[in-house]
């Protein structure tokens, strides 16, 4: 049972008006520094691992954030400190099919069995994605990501065939949860770039390709090459789980690496952008109903699912595709590095440029068209030109992975309030991954160099392109409608609707003041 948070201490009035005036002036000066209310709150202890975060301190930081005064330089300093601590921890926290020894050990003797094994991986995603984000907001990000990573690491150590399901459970909520988590720290026009550093699969793909290229040759009396791969994956994950538990702050109000004034600044700069709330507001169930009834959510699902069909298969089939071009299994692992490394630069550039221009839709459409071109080349040139096919893999990897930070930051930008955003980002990933359960099955035509699979993926991406165009057009019209509504308000209504009004806690996406990022 959660006890009600105590009221924050406020200077009481006395019989002496002059003394009251002095106290009030002192309080205002202190509050301009953004430290007064925090100084009135004692440090709370968590009753148990799954206890709710300290709402009293959160309220204190929010009250200080309402009146804190700061310069642009101070905001840059706070953002840099958040990047150095929060972003660094998130970045450091996440290809075996081509290895014959792995396949033989687990009885993966055909392409059909391999696609089935990949499909099993996504079961955990679909079941636990949305509950995971609700749990994260309740117990805090550090505890949630500790559980997620610890489960993942232990599953990697298990070396059993059913671990595909276990890994899916361990990863459930992790990626959507990270998007949700970062939205508590960064403005809407800062989010895509940060997500691109944290969530892109290109850099891990390049590193894993190099590691796999070296470790497949390793053999001992106890372990073979593919087992070393899982061991290398598991140990750092378990170490990072412990590091995150003790050093990752759940919200700005609990950030020990920031001073009280800096915590108020961190919260104030977000309040002037989208006002995220660490607690309160609509329940998880109400958030779910709001997401399901919002056409924007379903368009995001279509967009995400359309490119996720490619990303969920390319990471597993890339070594096999290169192998089909005539290279040996071991060399194929090494040749995955170049497409991933080149892709990393496009992922970062696309996200940075999207944030800089405050645009998501056109960037998403550009990446989808690039990927379509790549898949068309693969489908038509697989048996004709090794060079053209290998070049197409660069286009496919770069474009597919650049879509993840763009689409997920778009979801975080257009879903509000906080509860709806948390459920909504998880909803998009969860429903899309339900499709990913079947997506490996489209690569059934190994006998024909996966030409049919490439064609189906290209068609799905084109559907995603059309959906992104529809969503962007819809959001532009909603912004115009909201502008007209605001212009028609009386002066009293405009004053009441002012963004900095103390009565305003968080702007919902159906409020005429809400501005959608297109």
């Amino acid at each position: 049972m959660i006890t009600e948070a105590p009221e924050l201490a406020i200077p009481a009035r006395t019989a002496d008006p002059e003394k009251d005036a002095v106290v009030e002036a002192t309080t205002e000066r202190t509050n301009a520094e953004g430290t007064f209310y925090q100084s009135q709150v004692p440090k709370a202890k968590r009753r148990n691992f799954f206890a709710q975060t300290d709402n009293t301190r959160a309220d204190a930081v929010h009250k200080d954030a309402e009146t804190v005064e700061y310069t642009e330089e101070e905001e840059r300093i706070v953002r840099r400190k958040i990047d150095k601590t929060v972003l660094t921890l998130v970045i450091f926290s996440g290809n075996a099919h081509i290895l014959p020894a792995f396949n033989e050990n687990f009885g993966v003797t055909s392409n059909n069995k391999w696609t089935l094994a990949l499909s099993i991986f996504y079961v955990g995603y679909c079941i636990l994605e949305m509950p995971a984000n609700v749990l994260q907001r309740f117990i805090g990000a550090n505890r949630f990501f500790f559980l997620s990573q610890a489960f993942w690491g232990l599953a990697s150590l298990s070396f059993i065939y059913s671990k595909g399901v276990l890994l899916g459970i361990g990863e459930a909520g992790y990626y959507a949860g990270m998007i949700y988590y970062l939205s508590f720290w960064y403005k809407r026009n800062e989010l895509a770039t940060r997500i691109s550093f944290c969530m892109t699969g290109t850099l891990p793909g390049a590193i894993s390709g190099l590691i796999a290229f070296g470790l497949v040759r390793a053999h001992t009396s106890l372990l073979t090459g593919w087992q070393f791969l899982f061991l290398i994956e598991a140990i750092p994950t378990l170490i990072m789980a412990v590091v995150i538990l003790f050093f990752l702050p759940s919200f700005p109000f609990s950030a020990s690496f920031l001073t009280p004034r800096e915590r108020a600044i961190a919260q104030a700069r977000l309040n002037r952008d989208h006002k995220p709330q660490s607690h309160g507001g609509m329940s998880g169930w109400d958030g779910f109903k709001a997401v399901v009834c919002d056409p924007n959510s379903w368009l995001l699902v279509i967009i995400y699912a359309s490119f996720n069909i490619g990303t969920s298969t390319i990471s597993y089939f890339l070594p096999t595709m290169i192998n089909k071009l005539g290279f040996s299994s071991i060399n194929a692992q090494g040749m995955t590095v170049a497409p991933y490394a080149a892709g990393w630069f496009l992922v970062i550039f696309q996200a940075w440029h999207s944030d800089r221009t405050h645009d998501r839709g056109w960037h998403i459409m550009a990446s989808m068209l690039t990927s379509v071109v790549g898949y068309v080349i693969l489908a038509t040139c697989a048996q004709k030109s090794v060079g053209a096919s290998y070049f197409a893999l660069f286009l496919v990897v770069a474009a597919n992975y650049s879509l993840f930070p763009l689409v997920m930051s778009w979801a975080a930008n257009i879903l509000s309030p906080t509860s709806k955003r948390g459920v909504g980002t998880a909803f998009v990933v969860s429903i899309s991954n339900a499709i990913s359960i079947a997506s490996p099955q489209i690569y059934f035509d190994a006998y024909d160099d996966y030409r049919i699979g490439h064609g189906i993926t290209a068609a799905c991406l084109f559907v995603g392109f059309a959906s992104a165009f529809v969503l962007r057009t819809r959001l532009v019209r909603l912004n115009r409608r909201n502008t007209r509504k605001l212009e028609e308000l009386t002066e009293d209504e405009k004053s009441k609707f002012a963004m900095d009004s103390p009565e305003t806690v968080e702007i919902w996406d159906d409020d005429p003041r809400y501005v959608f990022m297109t």
Side-chain angles (χ1 to χ4, degrees):
M1 181 177 178
I2 301 171
T3 57
E4 187 176 346
E7 292 291 329
L8 297 174
I10 304 174
R13 291 195 174 275
T14 67
D16 186 348
E18 292 185 3
K19 183 177 181 180
D20 288 341
V22 172
V23 172
E24 191 172 317
T26 303
T27 301
E28 288 179 358
R29 286 198 300 272
T30 305
N31 225 20
E33 289 294 312
T35 60
F36 173 73
Y37 288 102
Q38 294 176 72
S39 67
Q40 306 300 306
V41 180
K43 186 174 181 180
K45 292 184 178 180
R46 299 282 285 269
R47 296 189 303 276
N48 57 67
F49 186 90
F50 292 100
Q52 190 176 16
T53 53
D54 182 11
N55 295 340
T56 306
R57 182 159 294 277
D59 292 336
V61 173
H62 275 279
K63 281 185 173 292
D64 283 334
E66 290 176 4
T67 55
V68 66
E69 298 174 2
Y70 57 94
T71 64
E72 290 184 6
E73 179 59 27
E74 286 181 300
E75 181 180 353
R76 281 195 292 270
I77 291 172
V78 170
R79 187 174 60 240
R80 281 198 296 268
K81 292 183 76 169
I82 293 171
D83 284 340
K84 289 178 181 179
T85 302
V86 173
L87 196 62
T88 300
L89 286 172
V90 172
I91 289 174
F92 280 97
S93 54
N95 309 339
H97 164 50
I98 195 66
L99 307 178
F102 174 85
N103 297 342
E104 292 168 7
N105 185 79
F106 290 128
V108 186
T109 56
S110 68
N111 185 71
N112 289 339
K113 289 186 177 181
W114 174 240
T115 57
L116 176 61
L118 293 184
S119 297
I120 291 173
F121 174 83
Y122 290 99
V123 173
Y125 260 112
C126 304
I127 297 174
L128 299 176
E129 197 79 50
M130 284 181 279
N133 265 15
V134 175
L135 177 64
Q136 180 199 149
R137 189 179 184 221
F138 186 82
I139 67 172
N142 60 332
R143 286 165 167 77
F144 172 78
F145 292 127
F146 165 78
L147 293 173
S148 177
Q149 288 210 311
F151 196 96
W152 175 280
L154 292 173
S156 294
L157 286 176
S158 66
F159 297 117
I160 57 177
Y161 190 63
S162 60
K163 89 179 202 69
V165 179
L166 297 179
L167 286 177
I169 293 173
E171 196 170 343
Y174 187 83
Y175 288 109
M178 277 298 180
I179 309 301
Y180 187 43
Y181 173 67
L182 291 174
S183 72
F184 285 99
W185 294 91
Y186 294 103
K187 293 180 179 179
R188 293 191 293 173
N189 66 333
E190 299 169 348
L191 198 55
T193 304
R194 271 70 184 184
I195 294 173
S196 71
F197 281 109
C198 301
M199 304 303 173
T200 177
T202 49
L203 186 59
I207 295 173
S208 66
L210 283 173
I211 293 174
F213 182 69
L215 287 183
V216 291
R217 296 172 171 81
H219 291 277
T220 68
S221 58
L222 298 176
L223 300 175
T224 59
W226 67 266
Q227 289 172 314
F228 276 112
L229 289 178
F230 287 123
L231 189 63
I232 292 298
E233 177 187 80
I235 294 176
T237 302
L238 291 172
I239 293 174
M240 278 307 303
V242 177
V243 171
I244 282 178
L245 177 63
F246 289 104
F247 296 102
L248 183 72
S250 294
F251 300 100
F253 71 79
S254 61
S256 59
F257 67 92
L258 297 176
T259 65
R261 173 171 169 76
E262 288 172 335
R263 286 196 288 268
I265 294 173
Q267 189 63 56
R269 74 189 206 95
L270 294 181
N271 287 355
R272 297 173 187 181
D273 184 60
H274 63 280
K275 298 183 184 294
Q277 302 293 310
S278 60
H279 62 282
M282 62 171 62
S283 65
W285 175 245
D286 289 335
F288 174 76
K289 289 188 291 185
V291 167
V292 172
C293 295
D294 189 346
N296 296 341
S297 303
W298 292 102
L299 285 168
L300 286 167
V301 166
I302 296 173
I303 295 168
Y304 190 102
S306 66
F307 82 83
N308 196 45
I309 289 173
T311 55
S312 63
T313 52
I314 193 68
S315 59
Y316 298 105
F317 283 100
L318 185 59
T320 304
M321 292 174 186
I322 295 175
N323 179 240
K324 287 285 184 179
L325 296 179
F327 298 95
S328 67
S329 297
I330 292 179
N331 288 336
Q333 284 287 351
M335 291 187 70
T336 63
V337 176
Y340 278 124
W344 184 81
F345 288 100
L346 180 63
V347 171
I348 300 299
F349 174 78
Q350 273 279 71
W352 170 81
H353 194 263
S354 174
D355 277 346
R356 186 179 179 84
T357 58
H358 293 209
D359 172 84
R360 298 285 187 252
W362 293 123
H363 286 76
I364 289 171
M365 286 182 265
S367 288
M368 285 190 161
L369 279 183
T370 301
S371 188
V372 167
V373 171
Y375 279 111
V376 169
I377 294 173
L378 286 172
T380 57
C381 299
Q383 298 172 345
K384 298 177 183 178
S385 172
V386 173
S389 297
Y390 191 54
F391 169 73
L393 291 176
F394 280 76
L395 298 180
V396 166
V397 170
N400 280 355
Y401 282 103
S402 71
L403 285 164
F404 184 86
L406 293 175
V407 174
M408 292 310 295
S409 61
W410 206 10
N413 292 157
I414 67 177
L415 298 175
S416 185
T418 305
S419 294
K420 182 180 178 181
R421 184 182 306 117
V423 175
T425 52
F427 176 82
V428 170
V429 176
S430 179
I431 301 301
S432 300
N433 278 318
I435 298 173
S436 295
I437 292 177
S439 61
Q441 307 303 320
I442 69 175
Y443 280 88
F444 59 87
D445 57 330
Y447 60 87
D448 194 29
D449 296 318
Y450 303 112
R451 292 159 68 100
I452 297 176
H454 295 324
I456 294 174
T457 305
C460 292
L461 282 160
F462 190 78
V463 171
F465 172 88
S467 300
F469 179 80
V470 171
L471 179 57
R472 187 185 187 281
T473 303
R474 171 179 163 79
L475 295 178
V476 169
R477 291 179 177 176
L478 287 174
N479 283 338
R480 289 174 181 169
R481 184 200 67 182
N482 289 344
T483 300
R484 287 195 302 270
K485 284 186 176 181
L486 289 176
E487 290 174 350
E488 295 169 357
L489 294 175
T490 65
E491 290 301 320
D492 289 340
E493 289 173 327
K494 288 181 180 180
S495 177
K496 182 180 179 181
F497 273 179
M499 283 292 291
D500 292 329
S501 172
E503 291 82 18
T504 300
V505 178
E506 184 174 18
I507 304 299
W508 291 30
D509 54 24
D510 59 356
D511 190 298
R513 291 168 294 172
Y514 195 85
V515 179
F516 295 97
M517 183 176 286
T518 58

